[in-house]
Amino acid sequence: MQTTSDEALIARIAGGDRLAMQVLFARHHVRVYRFVLRLVRNQATAEDLISEVFLDIWRQAGKFEGRSAVTTWMLSIARFKALSALRRRQEDELDDEMAERIEDQADDPETALAKKDKGTVLRQCLTGLSAEHREVIDLVYYHEKSVEEVAEIVGIPEATVKTRMFYARKKLSELLKERGVERGWP
Amino acid sequence: MNATNNEAPERSEIEGLLPWHAAGTLSRRDAQRVEEALARDPELARRYALAREELAETIHLNETLGAPSARAMEALFAKIDAEPARRQATSSDFGGRFSDFLANLSPRTLAWSASAAALAILLQAGLIADFALKQNAPGGYETASAPSTAPGVGAFTLIRFAPQASFDDINKFLQANKLSIVAGPVPGGLYKVRVAASALPKAELGDIVKKLGQDKVVGFIVTAE
């Protein structure tokens, strides 16, 4: 039902219906924002990007053919925008940011205390994954995308999606082990 | 997947599906295969529990990321307003044609048929409102601590649209008065609607509410914080 409604909204947006755009934005902007934020790791950039994402949807609604779910199409656009923004940033800036994050987490007394909580440690390790691994984990677990949909959004074969998910989870296990949580897998 | 190469190929394949099974996005056939394998393989079941933990914590992590400010929506609609005007095209799909059909019915026509009126209300609720129901549904991912998506900057009203108002009526009303829906519906079918980009004196907002309340599209209106 949600998919049908989204498609109906896109059809109206293609006709220049501003209200339909408001509804679509209200319905999806938080999830799109979170997807982008997890990739670019900067709130201001993520906010700028979601207005660009939805502007693209406004402009390209007439070209949407309904071959995939609207949310899949939307996340594909969001991903492209996020990666373009990341390319504009210096690689070393990203590395520094990443290092600071991990270091901060390790030095934070509250974090040290929270290490007793497996869930907290797991979330910290999810944050510590590479962008590629974070992306596939988020798409599968948070955005509820099937193997086929992840393949479409990321632009890789379905077999690669499964392999990438496996390695993302394997890396997660390694990070957990470094923090004293042994999962016995893989 | 080197780590599982020494295991039975079928088990390895099933294990690869566990994250999607946890998320509930497998086909019925694959889901059944996984369920059967889980029932006969305790180690696989243990690994499935790991995937479920990952699922729960990934949702938790994402839900703590908050929501964008009103700036994103304002920037978007400022850009849309700057775009060249588009002719309202007639939709070619069934949903669009159905919407257009209902949009063209006058309130009097709707009153003749209880079923048509019910459909109009359903359409209004479906096209305008169900995003909020989805986002705030108890089974959804929204947490009580997640920040509200309702933008806080501007002057606002709470509006319940008249049941007989068509989709097009509401659209024209919002456009004519330069209004935008920022949240809703809350219980009672009320929408939070921005009437100005910045806060207004109470008296001025009261005058606007009075004026808007005279429109036949509006069933109920009050000022909002």
Side-chain angles (χ1 to χ4, degrees), chain A residues 1-2 4-5 7-9 11-23 25-31 33-35 37-38 43-48 50-61 117-120 122-124 126-127 136-138 140-150 159 161-163 165-167 169-170 172-173 183-186, chain B residues 1-4 13 15-20 22-23 25-26 43 46-47 50-55 57-73 75-81 83-84 86-89 91-93 95-96 99-100 103 122-123 126-131 134-135 140-142 146-147 149 167-168 170-171 174-175 179-182:
Chain A
M1 184 169 176
Q2 167 126 355
T4 307
S5 296
E7 286 168 353
L9 287 174
R12 298 195 78 96
I13 290 167
D17 189 329
R18 201 173 181 276
L19 177 60
M21 189 67 211
Q22 281 182 300
V23 175
F25 182 86
R27 185 181 294 173
H28 295 295
H29 77 289
V30 174
R31 276 177 178 259
Y33 167 77
R34 287 171 179 168
F35 178 65
L37 180 58
R38 285 270 287 155
Q43 290 182 0
T45 306
E47 285 195 1
D48 289 343
I50 59 164
S51 66
E52 285 184 29
V53 169
F54 281 91
L55 184 62
D56 266 20
I57 289 164
W58 171 262
R59 287 171 174 166
Q60 296 177 26
D117 175 5
K118 190 179 170 187
T120 306
L122 188 46
R123 291 195 296 280
Q124 287 168 351
L126 284 166
T127 306
V136 72
I137 292 255
D138 282 352
V140 174
Y141 287 142
Y142 185 66
H143 298 280
E144 299 174 306
K145 291 301 173 190
S146 66
V147 175
E148 297 81 6
E149 288 171 325
V150 175
V161 171
K162 290 181 187 171
T163 310
M165 187 66 179
F166 173 82
Y167 282 110
R169 299 182 66 221
K170 183 170 180 279
L172 191 60
S173 284
R183 302 213 294 176
W185 180 89
Chain B
M1 301 185 205
N2 298 334
T4 54
E13 189 199 336
E15 184 169 358
L17 297 176
L18 292 180
W20 284 275
T25 50
L26 286 181
E43 174 55 22
R46 192 189 72 79
R47 295 179 189 182
L50 298 179
R52 287 173 55 85
E53 275 179 7
E54 293 163 11
L55 170 76
E57 297 310 328
T58 302
I59 291 169
H60 187 146
L61 173 64
N62 273 275
E63 286 299 321
T64 58
L65 294 178
S69 70
R71 191 175 66 88
M73 186 173 175
L76 168 66
F77 283 96
K79 286 173 188 169
I80 286 176
D81 289 342
E83 294 270 301
R86 273 204 297 246
R87 194 178 65 82
Q88 292 264 344
S91 307
S92 58
D93 66 304
S99 303
D100 290 337
L122 186 66
L123 180 73
L127 292 182
I128 302 171
D130 75 345
F131 70 90
K134 296 280 184 193
Q135 289 198 333
Y141 296 141
E142 206 66 46
T149 58
F167 190 87
D168 267 11
I170 296 169
N171 197 8
L174 293 172
Q175 285 183 346
L179 308 175
S180 55
I181 296 174
V182 295

Side-chain angles (χ1 to χ4, degrees), chain A residues 59-118:
Chain A
R59 287 171 174 166
Q60 296 177 26
K63 295 176 189 165
F64 179 69
E65 295 174 342
R67 288 180 187 166
S68 56
V70 171
T71 52
T72 299
W73 179 54
M74 215 176 271
L75 290 175
S76 302
I77 296 172
R79 179 178 187 271
F80 177 79
K81 296 279 180 193
L83 294 184
S84 299
L86 281 175
R87 274 196 290 271
R88 289 196 291 269
R89 284 162 62 175
Q90 293 294 321
E91 199 64 35
D92 56 351
E93 182 189 341
L94 279 176
D95 289 344
D96 288 347
E97 191 178 316
M98 187 68 185
E100 279 170 21
R101 260 168 204 276
I102 292 168
E103 198 175 352
D104 285 348
Q105 285 167 356
D107 292 345
D108 184 353
E110 283 185 26
T111 303
L113 193 67
K115 278 184 178 177
K116 291 172 188 170
D117 175 5
K118 190 179 170 187

Side-chain angles (χ1 to χ4, degrees), chain B residues 109-177:
Chain B
T109 309
L110 289 174
W112 279 97
S113 164
S115 59
L119 284 170
I121 293 164
L122 186 66
L123 180 73
Q124 179 179 324
L127 292 182
I128 302 171
D130 75 345
F131 70 90
L133 293 174
K134 296 280 184 193
Q135 289 198 333
N136 297 328
Y141 296 141
E142 206 66 46
T143 62
S145 60
S148 166
T149 58
V153 181
F156 301 96
T157 64
L158 286 176
I159 295 180
R160 185 195 301 127
F161 295 108
Q164 72 270 25
S166 70
F167 190 87
D168 267 11
D169 289 339
I170 296 169
N171 197 8
K172 283 174 188 165
F173 166 75
L174 293 172
Q175 285 183 346
N177 293 288

